Amino acid sequence: MTSVLQEHTSLQPFNTFGIPVYAHFFAEIFSETDIGHILQNDKVKGQPLLILGGGSNVLFTRDYEGLVLKIGIPGISTEQRGDRVLVRAGAGVVWNDLVMYCVQHGFAGVENLSLIPGTVGASPIQNIGAYGVELKDVFHSCQAYEIATGIMKTFDYADCKFGYRDSIFKNEWKGQYIITEVSFQLSTEADVNIQYGAIQAELTNRGITKATIADVSDVVSSIRVSKLPDPSTIGNAGSFFKNPVIERGKFEAMHAKFPELVYYEVAEGLVKLAAGWLIEECGFKGKVVGQTGTWKNQALVLVNHGHATGQEVYSFSEEIIKAVRAKFGVHLEREVNML
Ligand SMILES: Cc1cc2nc3c(=O)[nH]c(=O)nc-3n(C[C@H](O)[C@H](O)[C@H](O)COP(=O)(O)OP(=O)(O)OC[C@H]3O[C@@H](n4cnc5c(N)ncnc54)[C@H](O)[C@@H]3O)c2cc1C
């Protein structure tokens, strides 16, 4: 496939919120060389640039007056190293296709991340995580195209400065690189991670005592389907806000006032609060405001009821932030990228 520069392209099919906005310029990229070809086109030189994977972690609040590059670089390859295996995947590979490939080949490590939407290339950007596992736990390295120079670079674990839903690509290096390939270090020994309560409960429910990676993947997938809205039927971008992390002193005071508070111990002196609970306590669960609202089963997920604009969803998210701050004195940070 070759990359073609298009003009005035609808982005509605390319964002899981289903927001109807347009890109001035748009191209899908299938290789590293495609990137150079498109960026050297006189029409787009000097234009703002947006890199898009599956569009499952973005909220468009207006048309994009620049070039949108959708990353479609394919391919998965493996290299066996004793009981470890290095799996390399093109940035455009659908994340869950990679997970299914690993599960089918008996490569353990990503099964808890089953069914997360999006692409491989975006997975290090916010260090995707679910059910007790984060991308950083299996990350080996990534290849990236430096936009300013056109030079390909390799970054290892330490370079990426991973944090909770965070990495260097969202901070110091924001907008500077296009990730073209990611390598994962997985294991051929099935040492599954089933610490997460909901996984254990579902395995017990199914009468499984010695879980395989396929069992874990299947259980995680079915839990997700039961809890989260499917973007193909109702527009959304998963959790809209991060779970706030606060200092223990502040937590103790809050806990005394709100004994039902849902929280997780994260590190010495720090506690993570369940943002969904805070939002629900402010009366937002299942609330519908015009064409937007929160998901009926999970207040952390904002949805498009069919014809929402990005501005409408954004304003609603502001309302939630204000309400949570007023009731709990806690600031909610958006996980979804605002555009
Ligand atoms: C129903 C649902 C459930 C979800 N559940 C989870 C979950 O459990 N855990 C979790 O962590 N996330 C979850 N998400 C969020 C989302 O799936 C992830 O953030 C995913 O990694 C986004 O991938 P994407 O390809 O769609 O990225 P996009 O939304 O296209 O892009 C996200 C950001 O990454 C940048 N980017 C994308 N690709 C590249 C690249 N190749 N190089 C450089 N920059 C790039 C974009 O510019 C943008 O800033 C969920 C989303 C939905 C809709």
Side-chain angles (χ1 to χ4, degrees):
M1 269 189 279
T2 45
S3 199
V4 179
L5 185 65
Q6 302 168 30
E7 290 187 42
H8 194 61
T9 303
S10 170
L11 295 176
Q12 195 167 23
F14 303 120
N15 72 96
T16 60
F17 253 119
I19 303 293
V21 289
Y22 283 80
H24 191 164
F25 295 103
F26 178 90
E28 188 163 6
I29 293 299
F30 302 100
S31 67
E32 287 164 22
T33 32
D34 278 351
I35 301 176
H37 283 148
I38 293 289
L39 294 186
Q40 275 153 30
N41 189 313
D42 284 340
K43 279 186 172 176
V44 302
K45 275 191 185 154
Q47 293 279 340
L49 176 62
L50 171 68
I51 310 306
L52 203 59
S56 64
N57 203 23
V58 292
L59 176 67
F60 285 103
T61 56
R62 57 178 70 87
D63 288 343
Y64 192 76
E65 297 300 337
L67 168 65
V68 173
L69 275 191
K70 178 167 164 52
I71 307 303
I73 302 172
I76 300 178
S77 64
T78 60
E79 193 186 310
Q80 200 84 28
R81 295 176 172 180
D83 64 352
R84 313 293 297 172
V85 61
L86 194 69
V87 178
R88 294 191 184 88
V93 171
V94 170
W95 172 261
N96 197 50
D97 290 353
L98 174 73
V99 174
M100 289 302 115
Y101 176 94
C102 294
V103 169
Q104 277 153 20
H105 287 78
F107 304 153
V110 284
E111 57 281 358
N112 294 47
L113 305 176
S114 294
L115 227 57
I116 295 182
T119 55
V120 163
S123 64
I125 306 283
Q126 75 152 4
N127 178 27
I128 56 169
Y131 297 96
V133 173
E134 287 183 319
L135 187 276
K136 70 175 176 56
D137 303 332
V138 290
F139 179 89
H140 176 272
S141 58
C142 67
Q143 305 281 322
Y145 177 100
E146 189 173 46
I147 295 166
T149 61
I151 293 171
M152 289 302 301
K153 295 198 169 169
T154 302
F155 299 121
D156 65 16
Y157 179 89
D159 293 325
C160 295
K161 296 190 183 164
F162 291 119
Y164 164 59
R165 299 295 181 273
D166 203 22
S167 75
I168 195 161
F169 300 107
K170 288 183 78 173
N171 297 294
E172 294 103 293
W173 294 353
K174 191 174 167 65
Q176 293 183 31
Y177 292 98
I178 302 173
I179 294 176
T180 56
E181 182 185 278
V182 184
S183 299
F184 305 89
Q185 183 137 324
L186 303 179
S187 166
T188 49
E189 305 273 303
D191 47 355
V192 291
N193 176 343
I194 52 168
Q195 299 307 310
Y196 207 89
I199 300 183
Q200 272 181 357
E202 184 57 20
L203 285 170
T204 309
N205 196 24
R206 295 182 182 196
I208 298 170
T209 46
K210 192 159 179 5
T212 63
I213 55 174
D215 292 329
V216 174
S217 170
D218 201 52
V219 160
V220 167
S221 301
S222 63
I223 298 171
R224 292 183 68 97
V225 168
S226 71
K227 282 194 172 167
L228 292 167
D230 176 358
S232 66
T233 53
I234 183 153
N236 75 92
S239 303
F240 198 88
F241 303 99
K242 290 185 184 186
N243 289 318
V245 177
I246 61 169
E247 286 177 0
R248 177 156 286 282
K250 183 169 179 176
F251 163 75
E252 303 287 3
M254 268 182 88
H255 200 205
K257 200 167 167 200
F258 303 100
E260 307 292 304
L261 193 63
V262 179
Y263 64 95
Y264 319 91
E265 304 283 346
V266 277
E268 185 85 0
L270 293 174
V271 180
K272 191 190 277 181
L273 306 177
W277 186 87
L278 300 174
I279 299 168
E280 197 176 327
E281 285 300 300
C282 292
F284 283 98
K285 190 174 179 184
K287 188 166 180 179
V288 179
V289 178
Q291 287 292 316
T292 187
T294 55
W295 181 233
K296 59 181 182 337
N297 300 333
Q298 172 53 277
L300 192 50
V301 178
L302 269 56
V303 296
N304 174 2
H305 285 295
H307 301 283
T309 62
Q311 281 294 346
E312 205 177 350
V313 179
Y314 180 80
S315 303
F316 182 55
S317 72
E318 283 283 287
E319 216 183 291
I320 292 175
I321 291 172
K322 276 190 200 135
V324 168
R325 193 185 290 127
K327 180 158 185 168
F328 298 104
V330 169
H331 175 68
L332 286 185
E333 194 186 329
R334 292 180 185 85
E335 177 181 318
V336 173
N337 298 279
M338 298 300 121
L339 294 166

